[in-house]
Amino acid sequence: MIKTKNLKKIYTTDEVETTALDNVNLQIKEGEFCAIMGPSGCGKSTLLNVLGLLDNPTEGEYYFYEDEVSDYSERARARLRKGRVGFVFQSFNLIDELTVFENVELPLLYLGTSTNKRKQKVEEALDRMNMMHRRNHFPQQLSGGQQQRVAIARAVVADASLILADEPTGNLDSDHGDEVMKLLAELNEQGTTIVMVTHSPYDADYARRVIHLFDGSIVTEKMQQGFHV
Amino acid sequence: MFINYIKIAWRNLVNNKFFSIINITGLALGIASVLLCFLYIQHELSFDEYHKKKDRIYRITSYGGFNAKEWKVYTSGNPVAEMRNNVSGVEDAARMKRCGGEPITVGDEDYRDVEITCTESNLFNIFSFPLIAGSKNGVLDTPFAAVISQSTADRLFGDENPIGQSITLNWHEGREDFEVTGVIKDIPVNSHFKYDVFLSYKSLESTPICLDCGNLMYTLLDQDADTAAIADLVLDHIREIDGKEYVEDIRLQPLDDVYFSSLGAQRQGSWQYVQVITLIALVILALGCGNYINLTTARYSQRSNEIGIRKAIGADRLQLIRQFLSEALLVTLFALPLALLLLELSLPWFNIYAKTQISLNVVNNIWFYVALLCLVAITGILSGIYPALYISGLQSQEILKGKRDIQSGSGLLRKGLVILQFVASVVMLTVTALILQQLQYIQQKNLGFDSDKLVSIKIDDPALIRQGNAIKQELISQSTIEAVTASATPATGRFARTRFTFQSDSIPDKKYTFVNPRIDEDFIRTMGIPLVAGRNISSGGATKNQEALINETGVKALGFHDPEDILGRIIGRVEVVGVVKDFHIENLRKEIEPVFLRSNQLNRAYFVTVRLTAGNISEGLDDLRSVWAKLGSSSPLNFTFANDLIQQQYEQEQHTVWVIGIFAGISILIACMGVLGLAAFTAQRRTKEIGVRKVLGATTVNIVALLGKYFLKLLMLSFIIAVPIAWYVMGQWLQNFSYKIEIGPGVFLLAGGIILIIAISTVSWQSIRAALVNPVKSLRME
């Protein structure tokens, strides 16, 4: 599903050149649950952005399904992303001015889904996340855990086959964090590929594969059972 | 999708009330200004447009003259008969001539403020002045017939049928009765005419009045008539049949050009004024849009998260552009009702100060709504397109990663817009101040005569006009009256209408042209004009020889250095007996010309000018009224203070200063709102920085200075840009005046200072608020 070859990402300012990713070779198959770990600044989020087609690598190849997309334009990447990739962020990133329902509806609006179909899919997604009763609330009226469940609903509403989660439990207490991780594991069991960046070894244990990054390079890769599941 | 845009725009408006109010008010002021300007231009362009045959109507203008040669609208009226009968291409022609005078008497009642002219029935065929009573054919074909306007008919006769009724008015040297033969609908205000009473031209034939001079001529031509050929025929007639060889050229002026023509009409428009108002309105709209762009791009850094998310989950650039343009259009739509309200409230004031009669009755006009929609669309797009393009072009991962320094990208534009606002404010304020200064200069300038306590009386009663000396005698016997002079024209304002040219004795080819008013022996004493050499003219009755006074400029024009040298010389059979100090006979736009004050022996007093003694003016006026009663005048005392007459010459400038002053105020208001919004935003954005600085020991003053510095720099730059612009504009305007102020640095410093104080107060208000926040709180907020 995803394959990178000698992926490099270099940030250049006037004086400093920072290598965020250095020769990353990675392959993620459909249906995998993969955790990316490493200390702050090791390039985890950069890797996630490249994998999520939000950013282009500086060098190397990136195959998204069959397409080599490393030099795709913003517009082409946006087209590819639409409906296939869902994002879950540490800080939820819900739009404050929109209600729960409207936030979840947004990806479908951009896909041009019909009104009836939209309503049906949003309600399904909210139901799955057990958030139907909060559909008319605004994000500020919800707890952190609830907000993240809405964010996950938004990530899955368009039937994305890949969910990229950037420290999804980073802003949550352990109970809510666990709840969110269970939802992600459930989605993975239903066939969604999940790539998750995390600091937490506990959360990483939900994944079947754990990749450790250090200074922009993969240092270890470990397959595991996913013992919380 | 569109509903989603509107929803989010609406919630943004509601959640950010402060910025929304600034945006909506700024745009509303801009839209209201443009609408006002639109109505004004529409009003100006609508002049004479209502005539059904307007495209075929021409005014005949002539070039030439005995002395000063110039284009004039007055000419011989004689060619009309030939034009009507023998000239191909001419469908009709009509002449008009000043005649008759107030008051109009019906029964025992006198009526004033009526505009009277003599004309022919053909005028009603040429122009669309619909007759609502009387027969169109030959309505003015008999002598002593009158056609009056509907409102005049109502005024004079109330509910009675006006047809066949008699009106009495001043006629030649007496009073005359005219029979009302027709009533026309009132002439619309957007007309270069404003007559209430048309008398039959034939009535003039029994008077000794010169019929082939001083006529206004209008003609109605066939669609494809050769105007040049017709002009030549008219010229031939005037030169050969009327014998007026001094007329050198004739042109047919299309009706469309009459209102804006510099040759004059009863109502006259000014293209320059239209252009200035259009420019100002567009600048104000730009300022309103600038505010929107500034505050919107500034606030996008707060909305960056939303934009990042939208992009991450699939919004493409076009969708985002559509979203932000929808928001701008929505804000503009909200501004529209406020703009219309502002327009409704400001229109009466604008009409008073700009001397217009614009009404909002265009609301029945579909084009008004089309223009309104276009204006909303243009304003919305102007305001929204840059923010939309800019923000939609940002990379989503940068925004989401927290690289939210969006403002740095649009910083240059924002600075540019703030500078534009400051420049516009400084320029308009300076222009207003300089026009005021010039008006004040005019008011305070020594005109060479003493205009205080000088009262000009217009004599309406034809019987009194011939009794100049008797009136003077009666007036001077009053203790409150110091001096009296009688003249044919008002002694201030439009005093001299004629020029007098004579040949030089020594240099045969040299001609001298002098302004040539007729005066009596009391003129210079009444006016307070000092004699420089010689003596005053002697009283008109005492000598058969005419005498004259000449002014200092006249002495120089004739090539003399010493005024004494000119005394006793005969110029054009008139002896120069004295030289007076220069005085301003015309307004200060014109330079002082050589003046030849010739004694008036006709004992006619169309105007009497009186100097009241120092003391109680109301007593003096009471005395004037009692003398008037004693003289048995058929018309009441009709007087004006000389100072008011002088002021009337600068009405246009006074209107201009009001209009520009109002617009300057609006532009300062918009600029300040913009600065207020930006200052609030800057303070908000730098909350953390302010907190850290305070923790490290910065005082409130330090913080205010920190935030104020940014705006101060922009203001300084704007000032540097504004000064030459204002300098140039005012330099051009002041060229209209021969006597004018020097543009000094003071007025610029004053305007800059005012804007500086307003801007710094605005910024400080927000900065102090930010500086007073407990740093613990501001750091926690971050």
Side-chain angles (χ1 to χ4, degrees):
Chain A
M1 180 183 209
I2 282 176
K3 196 172 141 192
T4 69
K5 257 191 196 168
N6 302 327
L7 210 60
K8 260 194 180 183
K9 181 74 189 176
I10 298 166
Y11 291 111
T12 318
T13 63
D14 290 344
E15 289 158 5
V16 192
E17 200 173 76
T18 315
T19 306
L21 295 176
D22 193 8
N23 285 320
V24 173
N25 293 297
L26 179 70
Q27 189 167 8
I28 293 168
K29 297 206 172 77
E30 261 189 282
E32 262 200 86
F33 191 154
C34 178
I36 301 171
M37 296 189 74
S40 292
C42 71
K44 302 185 296 285
S45 297
T46 307
L47 179 60
L48 207 64
N49 284 337
V50 173
L51 296 184
L53 300 168
L54 292 178
D55 204 356
N56 273 343
T58 316
E59 276 176 36
E61 294 164 18
Y62 174 29
Y63 294 90
F64 186 79
Y65 287 86
E66 286 81 35
D67 301 324
E68 209 287 286
V69 295
S70 59
D71 55 356
Y72 268 33
S73 68
E74 158 90 12
R75 183 186 286 195
R77 280 185 276 128
R79 211 171 34 232
L80 211 55
R81 209 159 57 209
K82 244 188 228 186
R84 294 167 109 174
V85 185
F87 290 90
V88 178
F89 302 95
Q90 178 181 355
S91 50
F92 327 130
N93 279 341
L94 297 174
I95 296 177
D96 290 340
E97 284 75 19
L98 297 180
T99 61
V100 164
F101 186 94
E102 288 159 357
N103 263 292
V104 177
E105 187 190 23
L106 216 47
L108 300 176
L109 277 171
Y110 289 128
L111 280 169
T113 313
S114 71
T115 315
N116 288 340
K117 185 91 180 155
R118 262 191 343 249
K119 188 165 180 281
Q120 180 207 333
K121 295 205 84 165
V122 173
E123 282 174 356
E124 267 173 32
L126 285 175
D127 214 23
R128 263 167 94 181
M129 300 300 142
N130 202 15
M131 285 301 294
M132 264 304 276
H133 61 298
R134 294 287 205 169
R135 54 179 292 174
N136 290 325
H137 286 74
F138 285 93
Q140 300 97 317
Q141 297 169 313
L142 306 178
S143 72
Q146 287 173 325
Q147 287 192 47
Q148 198 60 301
R149 277 194 283 162
V150 175
I152 296 172
R154 187 179 62 187
V156 299
V157 72
D159 301 324
S161 49
L162 171 66
I163 287 186
L164 298 169
D166 193 352
E167 298 193 40
T169 63
N171 281 4
L172 300 176
D173 60 33
S174 59
D175 281 352
H176 284 121
D178 223 20
E179 202 178 290
V180 164
M181 285 313 301
K182 280 187 178 134
L183 277 173
L184 289 176
E186 224 176 282
L187 286 172
N188 176 242
E189 273 186 2
Q190 289 160 7
T192 311
T193 312
I194 294 177
V195 180
M196 174 180 76
V197 162
T198 183
H199 275 298
S200 155
Y202 179 81
D203 288 353
D205 279 346
Y206 279 88
R208 293 184 197 281
R209 178 150 66 124
V210 181
I211 295 165
H212 278 270
L213 275 184
F214 189 75
D215 284 351
S217 304
I218 297 176
V219 283
T220 60
E221 240 187 292
K222 185 177 79 179
M223 297 299 287
Q224 59 180 29
Q225 260 309 312
F227 66 88
H228 291 304
V229 183
Chain B
M1 182 55 93
F2 186 69
I3 293 170
N4 184 272
Y5 296 156
I6 299 296
K7 226 185 279 179
I8 204 152
W10 169 248
R11 288 175 194 159
N12 262 311
L13 277 178
V14 174
N15 289 343
N16 297 286
K17 291 188 186 71
F18 177 70
F19 291 108
S20 305
I21 288 170
I22 290 180
N23 271 339
I24 290 174
T25 317
L27 287 175
L29 283 168
I31 293 172
S33 302
V34 170
L35 284 177
L36 190 60
C37 170
F38 172 80
L39 290 178
Y40 174 72
I41 295 172
Q42 201 201 31
H43 172 75
E44 292 293 285
L45 295 182
S46 73
F47 267 76
D48 299 319
E49 282 293 302
Y50 61 90
H51 296 293
K52 289 194 186 96
K53 302 167 188 167
K54 64 183 169 67
D55 297 332
R56 297 191 287 132
I57 301 174
Y58 295 82
R59 180 167 77 171
I60 294 177
T61 61
S62 73
Y63 180 80
F66 276 122
N67 304 316
K69 295 200 189 308
E70 55 188 1
W71 279 100
K72 284 185 285 203
V73 293
Y74 293 105
T75 183
S76 164
N78 285 353
V80 282
E82 187 189 336
M83 287 173 77
R84 282 178 207 145
N85 300 326
N86 301 328
V87 179
S88 80
V90 176
E91 190 178 312
D92 209 343
R95 54 198 159 159
M96 296 170 92
K97 189 169 167 59
R98 276 164 63 118
C99 67
E102 299 173 325
I104 291 182
T105 309
V106 174
D108 298 331
E109 288 286 330
D110 284 348
Y111 298 91
R112 290 183 174 279
D113 297 322
V114 193
E115 294 281 343
I116 306 165
T117 188
C118 281
T119 191
E120 299 162 303
S121 305
N122 309 60
L123 191 85
F124 303 108
N125 175 40
I126 298 173
F127 293 103
S128 303
F129 298 142
L131 271 169
I132 49 176
S135 151
K136 188 175 176 180
N137 294 326
V139 71
L140 283 179
D141 282 0
T142 52
F144 305 105
V147 169
I148 58 177
S149 71
Q150 191 168 14
S151 59
T152 310
D154 291 344
R155 210 175 138 203
L156 267 47
F157 304 109
D159 295 335
E160 286 179 55
N161 181 6
I163 301 295
Q165 302 264 17
S166 172
I167 58 174
T168 311
L169 39 85
N170 291 350
W171 183 254
H172 189 46
E173 292 189 343
R175 304 271 292 165
E176 193 64 65
D177 294 338
F178 286 78
E179 185 194 337
V180 177
T181 52
V183 178
I184 53 162
K185 268 192 173 175
D186 282 358
I187 296 179
V189 284
N190 53 348
S191 186
H192 79 276
F193 290 130
K194 50 174 179 184
Y195 292 112
D196 307 296
V197 175
F198 295 95
L199 305 177
S200 56
Y201 197 90
K202 278 213 168 75
S203 327
L204 291 166
E205 287 170 2
S206 56
T207 66
I209 294 170
C210 153
L211 284 185
D212 60 359
C213 51
N215 284 267
L216 276 170
M217 262 210 292
Y218 291 91
T219 181
L220 177 67
L221 303 185
D222 292 339
Q223 201 66 55
D224 43 6
D226 182 352
T227 53
I230 292 165
D232 286 345
L233 282 166
V234 173
L235 181 64
D236 288 348
H237 185 110
I238 290 174
R239 284 173 69 97
E240 283 159 27
I241 301 177
D242 296 344
K244 294 176 186 282
E245 290 195 347
Y246 57 85
V247 177
E248 292 175 16
D249 199 1
I250 290 285
R251 268 186 215 161
L252 304 189
Q253 184 180 41
L255 183 64
D256 266 354
D257 298 347
V258 169
Y259 175 64
F260 288 110
S261 162
S262 58
L263 296 179
Q266 278 181 305
R267 287 200 188 88
Q268 201 179 343
S270 157
W271 260 123
Q272 203 185 6
Y273 205 51
V274 169
Q275 286 165 342
V276 166
I277 289 192
T278 308
L279 181 71
I280 293 178
L282 290 178
V283 167
I284 289 184
L285 182 65
L287 296 185
C289 293
N291 264 1
Y292 183 89
I293 294 171
N294 260 351
L295 292 181
T296 311
T297 51
R299 274 186 43 240
Y300 277 159
S301 64
Q302 291 177 325
R303 288 180 67 182
S304 56
N305 217 29
E306 173 201 331
I307 296 150
I309 297 161
R310 281 182 185 272
K311 293 195 101 174
I313 61 179
D316 59 36
R317 194 161 182 198
L318 200 64
Q319 283 167 325
L320 285 175
I321 290 174
R322 277 208 294 262
Q323 178 186 342
F324 293 114
L325 272 182
S326 314
E327 283 189 21
L329 281 168
L330 188 73
V331 173
T332 316
L333 269 178
F334 276 117
L336 189 61
L338 183 60
L340 288 173
L341 181 71
L342 286 171
L343 182 67
E344 170 93 47
L345 293 176
S346 60
L347 207 50
W349 295 97
F350 185 84
N351 277 334
I352 290 171
Y353 293 117
K355 281 276 172 192
T356 49
Q357 283 171 307
I358 303 169
S359 68
L360 262 180
N361 61 17
V362 284
V363 289
N364 300 323
N365 185 341
I366 183 81
W367 288 108
F368 180 73
Y369 294 100
V370 173
L372 214 56
L373 277 179
C374 288
L375 183 61
V376 167
I378 291 168
T379 311
I381 290 168
L382 272 180
S383 308
I385 194 71
Y386 175 79
L389 285 175
Y390 173 71
I391 207 75
S392 61
L394 291 170
Q395 299 289 315
S396 50
Q397 82 282 358
E398 281 179 18
I399 310 170
L400 287 174
K401 215 187 297 170
K403 285 188 183 174
R404 287 191 195 171
D405 199 17
I406 293 175
Q407 57 280 357
S408 62
S410 57
L412 205 61
L413 176 88
R414 191 166 317 136
K415 277 181 197 160
L417 288 171
V418 172
I419 288 173
L420 173 77
Q421 294 185 331
F422 280 143
V423 167
S425 303
V426 173
V427 168
M428 282 201 238
L429 203 59
T430 316
V431 166
T432 310
L434 281 171
I435 299 178
L436 277 175
Q437 244 182 27
Q438 172 69 11
L439 287 177
Q440 201 184 17
Y441 170 81
I442 289 167
Q443 278 157 10
Q444 289 174 353
K445 173 148 175 56
N446 182 2
L447 297 173
F449 65 91
D450 184 4
S451 59
D452 282 342
K453 299 199 176 63
L454 215 51
V455 180
S456 175
I457 301 164
K458 182 172 183 282
I459 302 196
D460 295 320
D461 185 345
L464 278 187
I465 287 172
R466 283 179 298 242
Q467 299 173 35
N469 286 335
I471 301 170
K472 280 173 68 181
Q473 228 114 70
E474 199 60 53
L475 286 168
I476 200 71
S477 64
Q478 307 297 315
S479 63
T480 51
I481 293 171
E482 197 178 299
V484 185
T485 180
S487 52
T489 48
T492 46
R494 301 191 63 195
F495 182 35
R497 291 208 177 123
T498 56
R499 299 280 187 283
F500 161 58
T501 304
F502 59 90
Q503 212 93 30
S504 160
D505 296 337
S506 50
I507 320 166
D509 295 339
K510 178 119 174 125
K511 279 184 177 176
Y512 299 100
T513 300
F514 276 66
V515 179
N516 181 31
R518 304 283 183 137
I519 58 161
D520 62 17
E521 68 278 13
D522 296 312
F523 177 76
I524 60 169
R525 195 165 70 86
T526 311
M527 299 295 284
I529 300 168
L531 262 177
V532 177
R535 61 167 174 85
N536 189 8
I537 55 170
S538 39
S539 66
T543 172
K544 280 187 178 173
N545 293 329
Q546 278 200 41
E547 295 175 344
L549 300 174
I550 205 163
N551 69 347
E552 288 170 306
T553 305
V555 174
K556 279 181 215 139
L558 290 169
F560 295 97
H561 295 294
D562 187 354
E564 297 286 345
D565 295 346
I566 203 166
L567 298 178
R569 292 194 181 247
I570 307 292
I571 294 176
R573 290 188 301 227
V574 182
E575 184 191 354
V576 177
V577 296
V579 175
V580 293
K581 226 175 149 44
D582 278 343
F583 62 98
H584 287 276
I585 204 163
E586 294 263 2
N587 60 53
L588 296 181
R589 288 187 203 96
K590 293 186 180 159
E591 277 196 61
I592 291 180
E593 287 178 88
V595 178
F596 196 74
L597 296 158
R598 202 195 302 211
S599 57
N600 179 11
Q601 296 172 312
L602 291 172
N603 187 25
R604 294 276 161 81
Y606 292 93
F607 286 87
V608 170
T609 306
V610 168
R611 176 172 300 283
L612 301 175
T613 50
N616 196 335
I617 288 178
S618 65
E619 270 177 35
L621 294 179
D622 286 345
D623 282 349
L624 285 180
R625 285 192 193 96
S626 60
V627 167
W628 233 242
K630 197 172 161 193
L631 287 168
S633 168
S634 64
S635 48
L637 180 67
N638 183 2
F639 71 92
T640 324
F641 281 96
N643 278 338
D644 294 340
L645 280 174
I646 295 167
Q647 285 303 311
Q648 278 171 19
Q649 302 174 351
Y650 308 105
E651 264 184 8
Q652 180 72 45
E653 284 78 8
Q654 276 155 358
H655 302 151
T656 310
V657 78
W658 267 106
V659 172
I660 296 181
I662 290 168
F663 281 129
I666 293 173
S667 88
I668 293 170
L669 188 66
I670 295 180
C672 281
M673 288 195 305
V675 168
L676 181 70
L678 277 184
F681 162 75
T682 312
Q684 211 173 4
R685 188 169 61 86
R686 295 173 78 171
T687 307
K688 187 178 175 187
E689 180 195 342
I690 293 167
V692 172
R693 282 177 186 270
K694 282 191 79 175
V695 168
L696 296 175
T699 63
T700 305
V701 176
N702 296 144
I703 302 293
V704 172
L706 173 80
L707 297 177
K709 208 164 61 184
Y710 173 77
F711 291 100
L712 198 63
K713 269 195 236 164
L714 295 184
L715 186 56
M716 298 292 270
L717 191 59
S718 314
F719 185 70
I720 293 168
I721 297 171
V723 167
I725 296 175
W727 194 294
Y728 175 77
V729 170
M730 286 320 286
Q732 295 290 311
W733 182 76
L734 283 171
Q735 277 181 4
N736 292 327
F737 293 87
S738 292
Y739 301 90
K740 57 200 169 205
I741 48 165
E742 287 292 321
I743 305 179
V747 68
F748 295 103
L749 292 176
L750 179 76
I754 290 173
I755 304 283
L756 179 77
I757 291 168
I758 295 174
I760 292 298
S761 315
T762 313
V763 174
S764 302
W765 175 41
Q766 288 301 321
S767 310
I768 292 170
R769 268 179 51 162
L772 289 178
V773 174
N774 185 338
V776 176
K777 201 174 160 194
S778 50
L779 289 175
R780 198 193 306 135
M781 270 160 58
E782 274 294 302

